[in-house]
């Protein structure tokens, strides 16, 4: 299938009602009406391409707010485009080499807490595109959830190599260090994260605690102070 480069947050796709659209009871009429992938797309390209693009766009809107109902709609549409349903999901996914399709299908399954299915999709993405950030992030999270520390570390190592300039990479690395009790890893990841975004209050707090445990009271106090200043600035921007 052709990759149309659907953006992660398409401008023409709006959740009607703002924050209230996060609920399962959200009225999705406005969402369906607002979906515009291509002007007169159905008349210019095959229907399967239009359906694929719509499903990807739905997931692009669902992911930032973890919208389960919208994700469910997208997953249904994705599955209709896969080979016959009498074939098990791993075999169906193995027949597909469309990275964007599989990436978003995995994301949909993840939002719906169908983690085994998400893992099947993201592992296939990893086979096709070993450096894909979404798949690696997802596989780290799923491995941690299963307490498969070895796999989590392997995927995290690959993520650091492939996406060293991503905040997500160092955020998940920092928290992995927290859970593992690895103070050195927490400090290294936190420092890398703050180079990308110095205004992360949580990261300053995590580093304050890490430096305190490492015996560096000066840096611990520095990050504590930074967190307090940033918090105050958010509450009183004037």
């Amino acid at each position: 299938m052709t990759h149309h480069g659907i953006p992660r947050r398409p401008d023409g796709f709006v959740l009607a009602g703002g924050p209230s659209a996060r609920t399962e009871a959200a009225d999705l009429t406005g969402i369906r009406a607002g979906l515009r992938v291509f002007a007169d797309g159905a008349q210019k390209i095959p229907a399967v391409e239009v359906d694929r693009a719509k499903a990807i766009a739905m997931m692009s809107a669902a992911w930032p707010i973890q919208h389960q109902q919208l994700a469910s709609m997208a997953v249904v549409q994705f599955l209709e485009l896969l080979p016959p349903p009498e074939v098990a999901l791993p075999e169906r996914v193995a027949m597909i080499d469309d990275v964007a399709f599989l990436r978003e299908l995995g994301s949909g399954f993840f939002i719906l807490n169908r983690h085994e299915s998400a893992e099947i999709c993201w592992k296939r993405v990893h086979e096709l595109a070993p450096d894909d950030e979404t798949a690696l992030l997802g596989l780290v999270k799923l491995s941690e959830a299963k307490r498969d520390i070895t796999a989590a570390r392997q995927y995290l190592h690959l993520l650091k190599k492939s996406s060293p300039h991503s905040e997500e990479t160092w955020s998940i690395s920092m928290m992995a260090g927290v859970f593992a009790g690895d103070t050195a890893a927490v400090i290294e990841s936190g420092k890398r994260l703050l180079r990308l975004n110095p205004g992360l209050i949580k990261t300053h707090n995590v580093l304050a605690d890490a430096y305190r445990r490492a015996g560096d009271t000066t840096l611990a106090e520095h990050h504590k102070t930074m967190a307090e200043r940033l918090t105050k600035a958010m509450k009183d921007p004037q």
Side-chain angles (χ1 to χ4, degrees):
M1 292 183 179
T2 305
H3 173 51
H4 295 297
I6 303 300
R8 206 74 174 101
R9 293 178 177 80
D11 294 336
F13 198 95
V14 180
L15 290 176
S20 64
R22 296 168 186 247
T23 65
E24 289 303 299
D27 179 5
L28 298 177
T29 303
I31 294 176
R32 294 191 186 95
L35 181 56
R36 298 289 183 270
V37 179
F38 301 106
D40 301 321
Q43 300 175 22
K44 298 178 181 179
I45 58 179
V48 66
E49 289 286 314
V50 175
D51 290 342
R52 169 192 178 276
K54 285 181 178 179
I56 290 176
M58 278 192 278
M59 271 310 307
S60 296
W63 182 259
I65 58 172
Q66 300 291 286
H67 195 294
Q68 288 199 340
Q69 190 172 356
L70 188 53
S72 180
M73 291 166 54
V75 166
V76 168
Q77 187 144 342
F78 277 128
L79 292 178
E80 289 177 352
L81 297 173
L82 283 177
E86 59 267 17
V87 181
L89 183 64
E91 285 73 25
R92 297 171 77 188
V93 167
M95 299 177 190
I96 303 296
D97 61 4
D98 184 335
V99 170
F101 180 103
L102 293 169
R103 179 195 298 128
E104 301 301 336
L105 177 57
S107 297
F109 281 134
F110 185 82
I111 290 176
L112 298 174
N113 294 314
R114 295 172 61 179
H115 290 176
E116 185 175 337
S117 296
E119 184 174 14
I120 290 169
C121 294
W122 283 336
K123 280 188 172 180
R124 176 60 175 156
V125 171
H126 183 53
E127 290 176 7
L128 297 168
D131 292 340
D132 188 88
E133 182 180 352
T134 298
L136 288 172
L137 280 167
L139 290 169
V140 171
K141 292 177 181 178
L142 292 175
S143 297
E144 288 179 339
K146 294 191 299 182
R147 300 186 183 279
D148 187 343
I149 304 304
T150 300
R153 286 176 176 170
Q154 289 174 344
Y155 289 126
L156 184 56
H157 175 71
L158 294 172
L159 183 63
K160 289 177 181 178
K161 290 177 61 178
S162 64
S163 302
H165 303 297
S166 167
E167 288 184 32
E168 283 269 21
T169 295
W170 299 107
S171 177
I172 199 169
S173 177
M174 182 179 71
M175 296 315 298
V178 170
F179 295 133
D182 188 340
T183 301
V186 172
I187 290 174
E188 175 59 26
S189 298
K191 287 165 61 179
R192 294 289 295 266
L193 186 52
L194 288 181
R195 287 177 201 161
L196 296 170
N197 187 347
L200 296 173
I201 296 172
K202 178 180 178 180
T203 302
H204 282 291
N205 280 324
V206 170
L207 280 175
D209 182 63
Y211 277 117
R212 192 175 300 111
R213 284 186 281 110
D216 192 330
T217 55
T218 301
L219 283 175
E221 188 62 29
H222 165 73
H223 285 288
K224 178 184 176 183
T225 301
M226 287 299 299
E228 291 171 349
R229 288 177 179 174
L230 289 166
T231 300
K232 182 179 180 181
M234 287 183 64
K235 292 179 179 178
D236 184 16
Q238 300 300 323

